[in-house]
Amino acid sequence: MGLFLDLTNKIKNSGFLILCVMLFFYFSFYTINGERGLLKYMYLSKEIAYAKDIAAQYSAQKQKLEAKVRLLSSSSLDLDMLDERARVVLNFAGDDEFVILDDFENN
């Protein structure tokens, strides 16, 4: 019986310590799992990296298309590119030519 009373007296006397420990665990939990916690930060960092990769892919695709358009512009007309585009658009081929269909135009 004395041990139990001694323990209850120590708990009553250390209420401030228990409050501090509970606050520590509360803030620690929400620092890791909260809406603005570390796990959410890591998730959003991955999302940003993925979005930057997608943006880089679209930028590279845009540069390729701009280069093709530049070759077809009136200031620097590339006759080979013009011939290639005319054959693709008009579905034209010569009698002595073979047509190999490829999905390269969409990339």
Side-chain angles (χ1 to χ4, degrees), residues 35-92:
E35 184 177 326
R36 297 181 185 192
L38 294 175
L39 294 177
K40 187 72 165 186
Y41 173 76
M42 291 168 49
Y43 171 75
L44 291 176
S45 295
K46 288 180 184 177
E47 287 289 319
I48 289 170
Y50 177 71
K52 285 182 180 179
D53 289 343
I54 296 293
Q57 289 175 359
Y58 283 139
S59 177
Q61 184 180 11
K62 179 184 172 191
Q63 288 175 355
K64 286 180 186 178
L65 291 174
E66 284 176 350
K68 280 187 174 183
V69 169
R70 199 175 312 115
L71 290 174
L72 290 174
S73 68
S74 61
S75 63
S76 65
L77 185 62
D78 184 14
L79 296 179
D80 290 334
M81 180 63 82
L82 182 62
D83 182 50
E84 175 188 340
R85 291 306 306 160
R87 288 175 187 263
V88 168
V89 171
L90 299 175
N91 204 15
F92 175 75

Side-chain angles (χ1 to χ4, degrees), residues 68 84-85 88 91 98-107:
K68 280 187 174 183
E84 175 188 340
R85 291 306 306 160
V88 168
N91 204 15
F98 294 103
V99 176
I100 300 173
L101 298 176
D102 190 9
D103 195 27
F104 181 71
E105 291 299 322
N106 293 334
N107 295 331

